[in-house]
Amino acid sequence: DAGITQSPRHKVTETGTPVTLRCHQTENHRYMYWYRQDPGHGLRLIHYSYGVKDTDKGEVSDGYSVSRSKTEDFLLTLESATSSQTSVYFCAISIQNEQFFGPGTRLTVL
Amino acid sequence: KQEVTQIPAALSVPEGENLVLNCSFTDSAIYNLQWFRQDPGKGLTSLLLIQSSQREQTSGRLNASLDKSSGRSTLYIAASQPGDSATYLCAVGGGGADGLTFGKGTHLIIQP
């Protein structure tokens, strides 16, 4: 157990509304990641962080923003949710180059 | 762009068999390769991490090999059990802050 929690675990929202997902780690690991998992596509990297206020884009970053104001929290924001963002979102941390994943957030955009 | 392919996409075998799952990647300039297990509706559990300088790693009944030059890895499961039923994911990483590039997984069913 790498001490990663995600909130909320499930969310249903409507198109056009803002949504923020939270990832929290209990230790001060430097690297954190957001992925989405979709049938037929597997897991794809959205954004990642290499320190407080240091973030960068991944493969599928359009429509998403992130923030990391303290080491333990990494927030993923959908500024205006679309149906194509219906997915399962996973947060991960890296410990000595091995990645550990949180339990996921299932997001449905109607 | 790195691409990761896993073959087969699905596999069903009787309990007790030894089996091999395959993973291939297009760019051999990787830092490490990681195998995960995912149960339905759950998160990912890390099984094995192989650094690019290593040839294999073992954990219990699991053995993963890496041939970086040919862009291939295999996950060997010995004496399979029904509890091994899950989706197995292969992912490659560039090291440091780099994220992982995943294959689409092999859905494994072990028949009692």
Side-chain angles (χ1 to χ4, degrees):
Chain A
D1 184 1
I4 306 167
T5 58
Q6 293 186 233
S7 59
R9 295 292 314 282
H10 301 271
K11 186 171 183 66
V12 179
T13 191
E14 294 188 349
T15 299
T17 60
V19 176
T20 296
L21 309 183
R22 179 183 183 233
C23 177
H24 177 79
Q25 59 161 322
T26 56
E27 300 178 8
N28 295 322
H29 296 294
R30 181 179 176 191
Y31 302 133
M32 298 184 75
Y33 308 84
W34 278 106
Y35 295 85
R36 60 178 288 174
Q37 185 175 33
D38 304 288
H41 289 280
L43 279 104
R44 293 176 291 174
L45 182 67
I46 305 171
H47 279 280
Y48 61 97
S49 170
Y50 45 96
V52 172
K53 298 186 179 180
D54 290 324
T55 65
D56 208 345
K57 297 178 180 180
E59 178 188 357
V60 290
S61 60
D62 287 349
Y64 301 95
S65 63
V66 290
S67 65
R68 194 166 178 201
S69 59
K70 46 186 179 178
T71 303
E72 59 266 36
D73 289 328
F74 192 29
L75 304 181
L76 177 71
T77 297
L78 292 65
E79 300 290 347
S80 177
T82 67
S83 59
S84 65
Q85 294 175 311
T86 292
S87 186
V88 180
Y89 291 86
F90 287 102
C91 171
I93 63 173
S94 179
I95 304 174
Q96 295 184 335
N97 290 306
E98 184 170 2
Q99 290 200 14
F100 297 90
F101 282 71
T105 293
R106 183 173 295 275
L107 176 68
T108 301
V109 183
L110 301 177
Chain B
K1 176 187 172 186
Q2 178 75 269
E3 293 184 0
V4 179
T5 303
Q6 292 187 244
I7 295 174
L11 182 63
S12 181
V13 300
E15 180 179 5
E17 285 199 4
N18 303 324
L19 55 99
V20 175
L21 307 183
N22 296 292
C23 172
S24 62
F25 45 94
T26 54
D27 185 350
S28 62
I30 64 168
Y31 189 83
N32 54 30
L33 184 145
Q34 200 168 347
W35 282 94
F36 296 88
R37 168 189 173 132
Q38 186 175 30
D39 294 289
K42 303 294 185 182
L44 281 70
T45 300
S46 179
L47 297 174
L48 290 164
L49 172 72
I50 311 178
Q51 305 285 5
S52 62
S53 58
Q54 298 174 317
R55 297 284 294 181
E56 65 178 326
Q57 282 284 353
T58 298
S59 176
R61 295 183 293 109
L62 304 180
N63 176 275
S65 67
L66 174 62
D67 184 342
K68 187 179 167 184
S69 61
S70 68
R72 295 182 180 182
S73 176
T74 61
L75 179 66
Y76 176 83
I77 303 177
S80 59
Q81 303 171 358
D84 295 330
S85 298
T87 296
Y88 290 80
L89 298 165
C90 168
V92 297
D98 282 5
L100 296 174
T101 300
F102 281 83
K104 294 179 181 178
T106 294
H107 181 53
L108 177 64
I109 296 174
I110 308 298
Q111 306 156 10

